[in-house]
Amino acid sequence: MTTIISPKQFSPVEDAENIRKACQGWGTDEKAIISILGHRNLFQRKLVRLAFQEIYHQDLLQQLKCELSGNLERAISLWTLDPADRDAVLANETLQKSDPDYRVIIEIACIRSPEDLLAVKRAYKFRYKHSLEEDLASSTTADIRKLLVGVTSAYRYDGDEFDETVAQSEASTLHQEIHGKAFNNEEVIRILGTRSQAQLNATFNIYKDIYGHSITKGFPGGDYFSTLRTVIRCIRDPKKYFAKVLRSAINMEETNEDALSRVIVTRAEKDLKDIKELYLKRNNISVDEAAAREWSGDYKTFILALLGVDQN
């Protein structure tokens, strides 16, 4: 989504040198850093980071952490990381909190491709010397632990094929297990933690055909069912889910910069254009306008750069 410099104009050495210059003197030139990193794709950012290391014998991320602060530092640091490493950091950060935001874990487990999820778990183990599942199990209890460890441990089939007979059978099973008198999460976790996205969406569609409403309608209250609802929404329609996260982040009484940065940074090189279109359709205002209205300064400039808005 971000506007990328042409490969012919790109020089990782020149970028590394200009970032270094922006960090020297009495004050950091944040706008110069944004003008560079905010307009480089994943491959280009890797080369800039390598060039910076080779020239100055220092990790670019450490330099950025020293020179920047607050929401801007966090957003640019996440953007500069490789995607798998970024997700590992996001997962670990949320698990360290006294009140973890399990949406972060669910997004990684249920929206990333099977190969991407595997890469995240490798990056997590390399960084923290624990498995993601181990730390997740230590930070959760009871049914939420079973559900989150279940979906995080999955290595799903990633194709479009599905079995309609299985979908019909499991739609009935889900209804019985979720809304029956004796709630049983074992089958719910088995289905959500092993079936492919295509298979689960077929099940959710058949569920709606049979029972006349979406599977999440009428869920009881409580943390477990709130978590279960997020799992289903992430599997069923990730773009719609992310559009809702953005709306909540922007419209809260105290805007949620962590959620805004997470969505925009992680989706900018994937499906942010589609998410923006959904947001506009549902809210009658573009994400660009909403973000520009709520934030100011260098953080706003960087977020708008990732959104593809060039500020003159």
Side-chain angles (χ1 to χ4, degrees):
M1 191 68 226
T2 183
T3 306
I4 301 300
I5 190 171
S6 163
K8 291 181 181 178
Q9 301 172 294
F10 171 64
S11 167
V13 170
E14 191 175 315
D15 279 354
E17 290 173 345
N18 286 332
I19 291 172
R20 181 74 166 190
K21 285 178 189 174
C23 296
Q24 293 175 330
W26 288 104
T28 304
D29 187 348
E30 288 89 352
K31 287 180 173 55
I33 295 172
I34 293 167
S35 72
I36 297 167
L37 293 177
H39 298 88
R40 302 296 183 268
N41 63 29
L42 174 60
F43 180 67
Q44 291 170 338
R45 297 194 304 275
K46 282 184 179 180
L47 293 181
V48 172
R49 193 174 173 188
L50 281 171
F52 197 94
Q53 179 72 49
E54 288 178 8
I55 297 168
Y56 303 109
H57 307 290
Q58 183 181 7
D59 186 357
L60 174 59
L61 276 170
Q62 291 304 316
Q63 179 80 65
L64 293 172
K65 285 181 183 295
C66 290
E67 299 296 332
L68 306 175
S69 62
N71 295 319
L72 177 64
E73 181 274 319
R74 175 171 171 75
I76 288 187
S77 293
L78 288 173
W79 178 244
T80 306
L81 283 166
D82 287 347
D85 217 19
R86 176 198 301 148
D87 281 346
V89 169
L90 286 168
N92 183 260
E93 283 180 351
T94 202
L95 292 176
Q96 297 303 315
K97 294 177 181 177
S98 56
D99 184 21
D101 183 354
Y102 294 129
R103 292 179 306 173
V104 176
I105 304 296
I106 295 165
E107 290 164 15
I108 294 167
C110 298
I111 296 177
R112 308 304 188 252
S113 73
E115 289 298 326
D116 286 347
L117 176 56
L118 198 59
V120 173
K121 291 194 280 189
R122 287 190 183 122
Y124 192 100
K125 186 167 63 173
F126 180 79
R127 263 184 173 265
Y128 303 110
K129 314 308 176 191
H130 300 244
S131 72
L132 174 56
E133 294 92 333
E134 180 183 358
D135 284 354
L136 183 54
S138 298
S139 303
T140 50
T141 58
D143 291 340
I144 290 180
R145 173 191 289 165
K146 293 177 184 176
L147 175 61
L148 293 181
V149 172
V151 296
T152 304
S153 302
Y155 185 80
R156 304 174 192 273
Y157 168 66
D158 203 21
D160 295 328
E161 294 84 358
F162 62 88
D163 187 320
E164 189 168 351
T165 303
V166 170
Q168 288 177 333
S169 171
E170 292 187 344
S172 176
T173 299
L174 287 172
H175 185 266
Q176 182 178 341
E177 301 298 341
I178 293 171
H179 297 288
K181 290 182 180 179
F183 170 70
N184 180 357
N185 66 4
E186 298 299 330
E187 281 296 279
V188 174
I189 292 170
R190 177 189 68 79
I191 293 167
L192 294 179
T194 61
R195 298 302 188 194
S196 69
Q197 184 182 34
Q199 185 66 50
L200 286 169
N201 273 319
T203 299
F204 299 152
N205 290 336
I206 288 173
Y207 186 103
K208 189 171 184 179
D209 290 343
I210 295 172
Y211 301 104
H213 57 79
S214 71
I215 188 171
T216 55
K217 187 173 182 180
F219 268 15
D223 290 342
Y224 173 76
F225 280 99
S226 175
T227 305
L228 181 61
R229 183 181 290 109
T230 302
V231 168
I232 291 171
R233 285 176 174 171
C234 283
I235 293 169
R236 187 172 59 191
D237 194 337
K239 293 170 189 174
K240 182 179 177 182
Y241 162 82
F242 280 126
K244 285 185 175 181
V245 173
L246 284 177
R247 183 179 63 186
S248 296
I250 293 169
N251 291 344
M252 288 174 66
E253 286 187 19
E254 293 186 10
T255 48
N256 187 342
E257 288 84 358
D258 279 355
L260 181 88
S261 296
R262 185 179 80 247
V263 174
I264 291 176
V265 166
T266 60
R267 307 317 294 179
E269 294 175 296
K270 295 202 177 276
D271 52 7
L272 186 56
K273 182 180 179 183
D274 296 333
I275 294 166
K276 285 178 64 175
E277 288 173 0
L278 267 175
Y279 187 98
L280 176 61
K281 186 176 180 180
R282 296 177 70 88
N283 299 284
N284 297 316
I285 184 174
S286 69
V287 177
D288 310 346
E289 291 177 84
R293 198 181 281 179
E294 291 294 333
W295 285 278
S296 60
D298 295 320
Y299 176 69
K300 180 180 90 169
T301 302
F302 181 65
I303 289 298
L304 290 179
L306 298 194
L307 288 167
V309 178
D310 285 321
Q311 291 183 294
N312 297 322

PDB file of all heavy atoms in Angstrom, residues 88-102 105 124 128 130 135-136 138-139:
ATOM      1  N   ALA A  88       6.691 -12.369  16.017  1.00  0.00           N
ATOM      2  CA  ALA A  88       7.239 -12.945  17.244  1.00  0.00           C
ATOM      3  C   ALA A  88       7.324 -11.883  18.341  1.00  0.00           C
ATOM      4  O   ALA A  88       6.963 -12.140  19.497  1.00  0.00           O
ATOM      5  CB  ALA A  88       8.615 -13.549  16.974  1.00  0.00           C
ATOM      6  N   VAL A  89       7.783 -10.692  17.975  1.00  0.00           N
ATOM      7  CA  VAL A  89       7.873  -9.593  18.945  1.00  0.00           C
ATOM      8  C   VAL A  89       6.483  -9.189  19.437  1.00  0.00           C
ATOM      9  O   VAL A  89       6.260  -9.005  20.642  1.00  0.00           O
ATOM     10  CB  VAL A  89       8.600  -8.377  18.314  1.00  0.00           C
ATOM     11  CG1 VAL A  89       8.467  -7.139  19.192  1.00  0.00           C
ATOM     12  CG2 VAL A  89      10.069  -8.707  18.078  1.00  0.00           C
ATOM     13  N   LEU A  90       5.531  -9.050  18.516  1.00  0.00           N
ATOM     14  CA  LEU A  90       4.162  -8.683  18.900  1.00  0.00           C
ATOM     15  C   LEU A  90       3.560  -9.717  19.847  1.00  0.00           C
ATOM     16  O   LEU A  90       2.918  -9.360  20.847  1.00  0.00           O
ATOM     17  CB  LEU A  90       3.286  -8.553  17.648  1.00  0.00           C
ATOM     18  CG  LEU A  90       3.515  -7.313  16.779  1.00  0.00           C
ATOM     19  CD1 LEU A  90       2.798  -7.457  15.438  1.00  0.00           C
ATOM     20  CD2 LEU A  90       3.039  -6.054  17.502  1.00  0.00           C
ATOM     21  N   ALA A  91       3.769 -10.997  19.548  1.00  0.00           N
ATOM     22  CA  ALA A  91       3.224 -12.059  20.395  1.00  0.00           C
ATOM     23  C   ALA A  91       3.839 -12.017  21.780  1.00  0.00           C
ATOM     24  O   ALA A  91       3.139 -12.096  22.796  1.00  0.00           O
ATOM     25  CB  ALA A  91       3.465 -13.417  19.742  1.00  0.00           C
ATOM     26  N   ASN A  92       5.157 -11.880  21.835  1.00  0.00           N
ATOM     27  CA  ASN A  92       5.833 -11.856  23.132  1.00  0.00           C
ATOM     28  C   ASN A  92       5.418 -10.647  23.955  1.00  0.00           C
ATOM     29  O   ASN A  92       5.192 -10.752  25.173  1.00  0.00           O
ATOM     30  CB  ASN A  92       7.345 -11.878  22.933  1.00  0.00           C
ATOM     31  CG  ASN A  92       8.099 -11.939  24.247  1.00  0.00           C
ATOM     32  OD1 ASN A  92       8.590 -10.924  24.745  1.00  0.00           O
ATOM     33  ND2 ASN A  92       8.186 -13.129  24.828  1.00  0.00           N
ATOM     34  N   GLU A  93       5.330  -9.491  23.306  1.00  0.00           N
ATOM     35  CA  GLU A  93       4.932  -8.278  24.026  1.00  0.00           C
ATOM     36  C   GLU A  93       3.556  -8.431  24.662  1.00  0.00           C
ATOM     37  O   GLU A  93       3.354  -8.056  25.817  1.00  0.00           O
ATOM     38  CB  GLU A  93       4.924  -7.083  23.069  1.00  0.00           C
ATOM     39  CG  GLU A  93       6.296  -6.550  22.745  1.00  0.00           C
ATOM     40  CD  GLU A  93       6.254  -5.369  21.793  1.00  0.00           C
ATOM     41  OE1 GLU A  93       5.166  -5.072  21.241  1.00  0.00           O
ATOM     42  OE2 GLU A  93       7.308  -4.744  21.593  1.00  0.00           O
ATOM     43  N   THR A  94       2.624  -8.992  23.916  1.00  0.00           N
ATOM     44  CA  THR A  94       1.271  -9.116  24.471  1.00  0.00           C
ATOM     45  C   THR A  94       1.217 -10.142  25.591  1.00  0.00           C
ATOM     46  O   THR A  94       0.479  -9.980  26.560  1.00  0.00           O
ATOM     47  CB  THR A  94       0.237  -9.416  23.373  1.00  0.00           C
ATOM     48  OG1 THR A  94      -1.060  -9.023  23.834  1.00  0.00           O
ATOM     49  CG2 THR A  94       0.206 -10.886  22.974  1.00  0.00           C
ATOM     50  N   LEU A  95       2.034 -11.195  25.496  1.00  0.00           N
ATOM     51  CA  LEU A  95       2.037 -12.222  26.538  1.00  0.00           C
ATOM     52  C   LEU A  95       2.721 -11.747  27.814  1.00  0.00           C
ATOM     53  O   LEU A  95       2.508 -12.328  28.882  1.00  0.00           O
ATOM     54  CB  LEU A  95       2.705 -13.502  26.028  1.00  0.00           C
ATOM     55  CG  LEU A  95       1.944 -14.254  24.931  1.00  0.00           C
ATOM     56  CD1 LEU A  95       2.746 -15.455  24.446  1.00  0.00           C
ATOM     57  CD2 LEU A  95       0.571 -14.695  25.417  1.00  0.00           C
ATOM     58  N   GLN A  96       3.532 -10.697  27.717  1.00  0.00           N
ATOM     59  CA  GLN A  96       4.188 -10.147  28.906  1.00  0.00           C
ATOM     60  C   GLN A  96       3.267  -9.227  29.704  1.00  0.00           C
ATOM     61  O   GLN A  96       3.572  -8.882  30.852  1.00  0.00           O
ATOM     62  CB  GLN A  96       5.439  -9.362  28.497  1.00  0.00           C
ATOM     63  CG  GLN A  96       6.525 -10.186  27.828  1.00  0.00           C
ATOM     64  CD  GLN A  96       6.998 -11.351  28.672  1.00  0.00           C
ATOM     65  OE1 GLN A  96       7.244 -11.207  29.872  1.00  0.00           O
ATOM     66  NE2 GLN A  96       7.103 -12.522  28.063  1.00  0.00           N
ATOM     67  N   LYS A  97       2.162  -8.828  29.113  1.00  0.00           N
ATOM     68  CA  LYS A  97       1.264  -7.884  29.785  1.00  0.00           C
ATOM     69  C   LYS A  97       0.409  -8.586  30.836  1.00  0.00           C
ATOM     70  O   LYS A  97       0.092  -9.767  30.704  1.00  0.00           O
ATOM     71  CB  LYS A  97       0.358  -7.199  28.761  1.00  0.00           C
ATOM     72  CG  LYS A  97       1.122  -6.302  27.793  1.00  0.00           C
ATOM     73  CD  LYS A  97       0.189  -5.700  26.758  1.00  0.00           C
ATOM     74  CE  LYS A  97       0.950  -4.814  25.783  1.00  0.00           C
ATOM     75  NZ  LYS A  97       0.069  -4.277  24.714  1.00  0.00           N
ATOM     76  N   SER A  98       0.023  -7.834  31.856  1.00  0.00           N
ATOM     77  CA  SER A  98      -0.831  -8.414  32.902  1.00  0.00           C
ATOM     78  C   SER A  98      -2.222  -8.724  32.362  1.00  0.00           C
ATOM     79  O   SER A  98      -2.905  -9.628  32.846  1.00  0.00           O
ATOM     80  CB  SER A  98      -0.934  -7.446  34.090  1.00  0.00           C
ATOM     81  OG  SER A  98      -1.419  -6.184  33.667  1.00  0.00           O
ATOM     82  N   ASP A  99      -2.635  -7.973  31.343  1.00  0.00           N
ATOM     83  CA  ASP A  99      -3.933  -8.211  30.705  1.00  0.00           C
ATOM     84  C   ASP A  99      -3.695  -8.347  29.200  1.00  0.00           C
ATOM     85  O   ASP A  99      -3.883  -7.400  28.434  1.00  0.00           O
ATOM     86  CB  ASP A  99      -4.885  -7.048  30.998  1.00  0.00           C
ATOM     87  CG  ASP A  99      -6.276  -7.285  30.428  1.00  0.00           C
ATOM     88  OD1 ASP A  99      -6.629  -8.461  30.180  1.00  0.00           O
ATOM     89  OD2 ASP A  99      -7.013  -6.291  30.229  1.00  0.00           O
ATOM     90  N   PRO A 100      -3.275  -9.528  28.739  1.00  0.00           N
ATOM     91  CA  PRO A 100      -2.887  -9.696  27.331  1.00  0.00           C
ATOM     92  C   PRO A 100      -4.044  -9.433  26.368  1.00  0.00           C
ATOM     93  O   PRO A 100      -5.197  -9.743  26.668  1.00  0.00           O
ATOM     94  CB  PRO A 100      -2.451 -11.164  27.252  1.00  0.00           C
ATOM     95  CG  PRO A 100      -2.168 -11.574  28.652  1.00  0.00           C
ATOM     96  CD  PRO A 100      -3.103 -10.773  29.504  1.00  0.00           C
ATOM     97  N   ASP A 101      -3.712  -8.865  25.215  1.00  0.00           N
ATOM     98  CA  ASP A 101      -4.675  -8.689  24.136  1.00  0.00           C
ATOM     99  C   ASP A 101      -4.572  -9.918  23.236  1.00  0.00           C
ATOM    100  O   ASP A 101      -3.694  -9.990  22.373  1.00  0.00           O
ATOM    101  CB  ASP A 101      -4.365  -7.417  23.350  1.00  0.00           C
ATOM    102  CG  ASP A 101      -5.381  -7.140  22.252  1.00  0.00           C
ATOM    103  OD1 ASP A 101      -6.264  -7.999  22.036  1.00  0.00           O
ATOM    104  OD2 ASP A 101      -5.288  -6.077  21.606  1.00  0.00           O
ATOM    105  N   TYR A 102      -5.452 -10.893  23.456  1.00  0.00           N
ATOM    106  CA  TYR A 102      -5.341 -12.156  22.731  1.00  0.00           C
ATOM    107  C   TYR A 102      -5.635 -12.017  21.244  1.00  0.00           C
ATOM    108  O   TYR A 102      -5.346 -12.924  20.470  1.00  0.00           O
ATOM    109  CB  TYR A 102      -6.266 -13.200  23.356  1.00  0.00           C
ATOM    110  CG  TYR A 102      -5.856 -13.587  24.760  1.00  0.00           C
ATOM    111  CD1 TYR A 102      -6.772 -13.570  25.807  1.00  0.00           C
ATOM    112  CD2 TYR A 102      -4.545 -13.950  25.041  1.00  0.00           C
ATOM    113  CE1 TYR A 102      -6.392 -13.909  27.099  1.00  0.00           C
ATOM    114  CE2 TYR A 102      -4.153 -14.293  26.324  1.00  0.00           C
ATOM    115  CZ  TYR A 102      -5.084 -14.268  27.358  1.00  0.00           C
ATOM    116  OH  TYR A 102      -4.694 -14.601  28.630  1.00  0.00           O
ATOM    117  N   ILE A 105      -2.463 -12.676  19.251  1.00  0.00           N
ATOM    118  CA  ILE A 105      -2.143 -14.092  19.064  1.00  0.00           C
ATOM    119  C   ILE A 105      -3.068 -14.704  18.016  1.00  0.00           C
ATOM    120  O   ILE A 105      -2.621 -15.460  17.139  1.00  0.00           O
ATOM    121  CB  ILE A 105      -2.279 -14.862  20.391  1.00  0.00           C
ATOM    122  CG1 ILE A 105      -1.391 -14.238  21.484  1.00  0.00           C
ATOM    123  CG2 ILE A 105      -1.965 -16.338  20.194  1.00  0.00           C
ATOM    124  CD1 ILE A 105       0.086 -14.305  21.209  1.00  0.00           C
ATOM    125  N   TYR A 124      10.201 -16.891  17.008  1.00  0.00           N
ATOM    126  CA  TYR A 124       9.913 -16.744  18.438  1.00  0.00           C
ATOM    127  C   TYR A 124      10.882 -17.590  19.255  1.00  0.00           C
ATOM    128  O   TYR A 124      11.482 -17.113  20.226  1.00  0.00           O
ATOM    129  CB  TYR A 124       8.461 -17.146  18.723  1.00  0.00           C
ATOM    130  CG  TYR A 124       7.986 -16.759  20.104  1.00  0.00           C
ATOM    131  CD1 TYR A 124       7.203 -15.626  20.282  1.00  0.00           C
ATOM    132  CD2 TYR A 124       8.310 -17.512  21.224  1.00  0.00           C
ATOM    133  CE1 TYR A 124       6.770 -15.245  21.549  1.00  0.00           C
ATOM    134  CE2 TYR A 124       7.890 -17.138  22.497  1.00  0.00           C
ATOM    135  CZ  TYR A 124       7.109 -16.011  22.648  1.00  0.00           C
ATOM    136  OH  TYR A 124       6.690 -15.635  23.907  1.00  0.00           O
ATOM    137  N   TYR A 128      13.489 -15.910  21.928  1.00  0.00           N
ATOM    138  CA  TYR A 128      13.147 -15.979  23.349  1.00  0.00           C
ATOM    139  C   TYR A 128      13.524 -17.303  24.026  1.00  0.00           C
ATOM    140  O   TYR A 128      13.311 -17.454  25.222  1.00  0.00           O
ATOM    141  CB  TYR A 128      11.644 -15.691  23.522  1.00  0.00           C
ATOM    142  CG  TYR A 128      11.262 -14.356  22.930  1.00  0.00           C
ATOM    143  CD1 TYR A 128      10.479 -14.284  21.778  1.00  0.00           C
ATOM    144  CD2 TYR A 128      11.706 -13.168  23.490  1.00  0.00           C
ATOM    145  CE1 TYR A 128      10.147 -13.053  21.210  1.00  0.00           C
ATOM    146  CE2 TYR A 128      11.372 -11.938  22.942  1.00  0.00           C
ATOM    147  CZ  TYR A 128      10.594 -11.890  21.798  1.00  0.00           C
ATOM    148  OH  TYR A 128      10.277 -10.668  21.250  1.00  0.00           O
ATOM    149  N   HIS A 130      12.154 -20.027  24.051  1.00  0.00           N
ATOM    150  CA  HIS A 130      10.950 -20.768  24.438  1.00  0.00           C
ATOM    151  C   HIS A 130      10.114 -20.927  23.181  1.00  0.00           C
ATOM    152  O   HIS A 130      10.227 -20.129  22.262  1.00  0.00           O
ATOM    153  CB  HIS A 130      10.089 -19.999  25.453  1.00  0.00           C
ATOM    154  CG  HIS A 130      10.755 -19.673  26.736  1.00  0.00           C
ATOM    155  ND1 HIS A 130      10.333 -20.181  27.935  1.00  0.00           N
ATOM    156  CD2 HIS A 130      11.816 -18.879  27.040  1.00  0.00           C
ATOM    157  CE1 HIS A 130      11.092 -19.702  28.908  1.00  0.00           C
ATOM    158  NE2 HIS A 130      11.999 -18.905  28.386  1.00  0.00           N
ATOM    159  N   ASP A 135       4.986 -20.383  26.034  1.00  0.00           N
ATOM    160  CA  ASP A 135       4.708 -19.111  26.708  1.00  0.00           C
ATOM    161  C   ASP A 135       3.214 -18.804  26.712  1.00  0.00           C
ATOM    162  O   ASP A 135       2.695 -18.227  27.680  1.00  0.00           O
ATOM    163  CB  ASP A 135       5.467 -17.982  26.026  1.00  0.00           C
ATOM    164  CG  ASP A 135       6.950 -17.998  26.378  1.00  0.00           C
ATOM    165  OD1 ASP A 135       7.345 -18.813  27.231  1.00  0.00           O
ATOM    166  OD2 ASP A 135       7.713 -17.206  25.791  1.00  0.00           O
ATOM    167  N   LEU A 136       2.536 -19.186  25.653  1.00  0.00           N
ATOM    168  CA  LEU A 136       1.085 -18.980  25.596  1.00  0.00           C
ATOM    169  C   LEU A 136       0.380 -19.807  26.665  1.00  0.00           C
ATOM    170  O   LEU A 136      -0.517 -19.317  27.362  1.00  0.00           O
ATOM    171  CB  LEU A 136       0.583 -19.363  24.204  1.00  0.00           C
ATOM    172  CG  LEU A 136      -0.892 -19.156  23.877  1.00  0.00           C
ATOM    173  CD1 LEU A 136      -1.325 -17.727  24.151  1.00  0.00           C
ATOM    174  CD2 LEU A 136      -1.164 -19.528  22.425  1.00  0.00           C
ATOM    175  N   SER A 138       1.641 -20.757  29.449  1.00  0.00           N
ATOM    176  CA  SER A 138       1.989 -20.201  30.772  1.00  0.00           C
ATOM    177  C   SER A 138       1.201 -18.941  31.089  1.00  0.00           C
ATOM    178  O   SER A 138       1.059 -18.577  32.260  1.00  0.00           O
ATOM    179  CB  SER A 138       3.491 -19.881  30.828  1.00  0.00           C
ATOM    180  OG  SER A 138       4.258 -21.045  30.650  1.00  0.00           O
ATOM    181  N   SER A 139       0.707 -18.270  30.045  1.00  0.00           N
ATOM    182  CA  SER A 139       0.027 -16.979  30.234  1.00  0.00           C
ATOM    183  C   SER A 139      -1.492 -17.096  30.212  1.00  0.00           C
ATOM    184  O   SER A 139      -2.189 -16.077  30.337  1.00  0.00           O
ATOM    185  CB  SER A 139       0.460 -16.002  29.128  1.00  0.00           C
ATOM    186  OG  SER A 139       1.850 -15.834  29.124  1.00  0.00           O
TER     187      SER A 139
END
